[in-house]
Amino acid sequence: MNHHDPLSALTFYRNSLTLPLQQYKVVDLMRSTGGLSRSDLARQLGYSRATITGLVKDLIDRTIIREIADAESTGGRPARILDFNASFAYVIGVDMGATSVDIALADFRGELLLRHREPIDVKQGPDPVLDRVATIMQDLIQQAKIPNDKVRSIGIGVPGPVDFLNGVLSMPPIMPGWERYPIRTKIQETFPLATVVVDNDVNVMALGELRSGVGKGVDNFIFVKVGTGIGAGIIVDGGIYRGSNGCAGDIGHIQADRNGPICHCGNVGCVEAMASGSALARQAMQAAQSGRSPILAEYLAAGVTSLTAEHIGMAAHAGDKVAMELIKTSGTLIGEVLAGVVNFFNPSLILIGGGVANIGTQFLSTIRRGILSRSLPLSTQHLRIDYSPMGEDAGVIGAVALAIEHIFVGKL
């Protein structure tokens, strides 16, 4: 379990494997940093060499870690590098979107072994969707010839606000019928020995970048997902910050215009209602149907039934002025909202992901300008703003990382 998480002292994941606290700290440090020598562990944890030797021996005896290679010698006997035993346990990551699901089976080191993606519709409700998710997971482990009881943790990202402690959605606006549904219990009907961890999808994406992407080694950054909605995953001191109730980062409902449209949350002028993928799609349809955008109108005439942000990007690339203006307005609104976040939080990195990130470079440029024009100079002095290089992989890789972080719990 992540030692930065304020809930880390709780053992609410009933199937987590319990380690003595000192051993847990060894495993947790290795999970965060990768392979280390005994000397590295002793130095970073502040333990004596004798203590580390004993802790490591027991972890090797339990097949949790193993020696993999010699470190480069600086004179004398080279130190042995320790790493996780990949086959100790297996985990599954589930990245659930509003219209698709991406599921991966991984080993204990987080290496993806098998992966499956297919369309779903979360509006069908939790039972049919989760039944299908469970079937896909079983298919993957059967293909890999892994026994069910070797799957020890499952991480699930979902597109809505999550009560992290209880692993349930709380008033999800695009997921009717999912309110307080016991996702963990449902999945454990198929995998009774596995810990099941449920988190908001953008937190999971941020975790993917933190563990395996450009966020690795960055202590304070924000991952912003611009898709059907808008949300942010916040990394503070090298760990996910979820807030008191698990809903930190819901920036989509910051007001961008007090005279703006009514948002599905009931408030007026939320940036999500004005600049998200669904808002852009609505604005594109209006522009096409009114004839203001000739190229978008051509897409409809060619048989496209519903325009998307990607169509806007294509039209802008073809020189459509209305499409370019839609992108500029959306990026500026998001940038201005993020400027307030930058002034408050002072991150060193902002990564933009989600479906709208495929719209092109103009979108990122307008977000940058919006942030820089409204932020204090000191807060942006060393700020990098970029698209997430992991793209669609961030969610499933983050879900795997979430699962790995919750295999163990430390006990005094």
Side-chain angles (χ1 to χ4, degrees):
M1 190 175 287
N2 188 344
H3 63 283
H4 297 289
D5 191 326
L7 300 174
S8 62
L10 301 176
T11 56
F12 55 94
Y13 296 112
R14 62 182 176 88
N15 291 339
S16 294
L17 303 174
T18 302
L19 289 176
L21 187 59
Q22 286 186 322
Q23 283 191 353
Y24 171 75
K25 288 182 176 179
V26 170
V27 170
D28 194 43
L29 178 60
M30 290 180 63
R31 175 194 53 74
S32 299
T33 60
L36 295 168
S37 69
R38 291 169 176 82
S39 296
D40 292 332
L41 290 168
R43 182 176 64 256
Q44 294 191 47
L45 292 172
Y47 294 161
S48 70
R49 181 59 188 263
T51 297
I52 284 294
T53 298
L55 295 173
V56 165
K57 181 181 183 304
D58 190 55
L59 288 169
I60 290 175
D61 289 344
R62 296 178 67 173
T63 71
I64 294 170
I65 64 175
R66 60 191 178 97
E67 294 181 328
I68 58 168
D70 290 334
E72 289 187 15
S73 177
T74 55
R77 183 179 177 183
R80 298 288 287 172
I81 296 297
L82 304 162
D83 200 357
F84 290 121
N85 173 18
S87 61
F88 170 76
Y90 294 87
V91 302
I92 295 174
V94 180
D95 177 26
M96 187 185 300
T99 58
S100 66
V101 66
D102 192 356
I103 302 177
L105 173 69
D107 63 23
F108 188 46
R109 295 177 60 193
E111 297 290 332
L112 302 193
L113 305 177
L114 291 169
R115 184 172 172 181
H116 178 85
R117 183 182 179 93
E118 69 175 51
I120 60 163
D121 182 0
V122 295
K123 292 179 180 178
Q124 290 182 341
D127 283 318
V129 170
L130 292 176
D131 283 342
R132 179 58 190 154
V133 167
T135 297
I136 295 169
M137 291 193 288
Q138 285 181 305
D139 289 345
L140 291 177
I141 66 170
Q142 286 170 8
Q143 288 177 50
K145 297 181 170 56
I146 294 168
N148 263 30
D149 60 4
K150 290 285 279 185
V151 176
R152 293 310 308 248
S153 191
I154 299 168
I156 303 175
V158 291
V162 171
D163 176 345
F164 185 71
L165 179 63
N166 294 302
V168 295
L169 283 145
S170 178
M171 300 181 66
I174 62 171
M175 300 178 73
W178 290 77
E179 166 74 12
R180 310 300 297 181
Y181 184 88
I183 298 173
R184 186 186 306 157
T185 302
K186 174 70 173 179
I187 296 298
Q188 284 175 333
E189 289 176 2
T190 306
F191 297 94
L193 295 181
T195 298
V196 178
V197 196
V198 183
D199 204 353
N200 174 265
D201 59 350
V202 71
N203 282 347
V204 168
M205 290 176 173
L207 187 60
E209 288 287 359
L210 176 68
R211 296 295 175 227
S212 302
V214 296
K216 195 168 186 176
V218 181
D219 286 341
N220 301 291
F221 73 88
I222 300 171
F223 186 103
V224 181
K225 179 186 178 185
V226 186
T228 304
I230 298 174
I234 305 170
I235 302 297
V236 178
D237 290 339
I240 292 285
Y241 177 75
R242 296 183 174 91
S244 299
N245 299 104
C247 62
D250 200 354
I251 63 169
H253 299 288
I254 295 175
Q255 189 178 70
D257 182 355
R258 67 176 59 189
N259 298 312
I262 297 175
C263 181
H264 58 74
C265 74
N267 290 319
V268 172
C270 295
V271 67
E272 184 171 299
M274 302 179 68
S276 65
S278 54
L280 280 170
R282 183 182 68 250
Q283 293 159 16
M285 288 294 288
Q286 292 169 350
Q289 290 167 349
S290 67
R292 288 190 300 117
S293 169
I295 295 179
L296 291 175
E298 285 178 13
Y299 295 154
L300 288 184
V304 174
T305 57
S306 181
L307 295 173
T308 66
E310 190 172 355
H311 290 115
I312 298 173
M314 291 163 52
H317 186 71
D320 188 286
K321 291 182 180 180
V322 171
M324 288 189 281
E325 189 61 32
L326 289 176
I327 292 172
K328 179 181 177 182
T329 301
S330 174
T332 300
L333 287 170
I334 293 169
E336 289 176 351
V337 165
L338 287 174
V341 176
V342 167
N343 286 334
F344 174 77
F345 177 46
N346 189 209
S348 59
L349 174 67
I350 294 177
L351 294 172
I352 310 296
V356 181
N358 300 320
I359 205 169
T361 56
Q362 184 192 359
F363 183 61
L364 181 63
S365 297
T366 56
I367 290 176
R368 281 195 184 121
R369 284 197 292 271
I371 292 172
L372 296 175
S373 67
R374 300 285 296 241
S375 299
L376 296 173
L378 185 60
S379 65
T380 57
Q381 189 173 1
H382 301 292
L383 175 63
R384 175 186 169 191
I385 306 162
D386 214 337
Y387 280 138
S388 163
M390 294 183 78
E392 294 183 349
D393 293 338
V396 75
I397 290 173
V400 165
L402 183 70
I404 289 173
E405 290 189 359
H406 291 81
I407 286 180
F408 298 109
V409 65
K411 184 176 183 180
L412 291 169

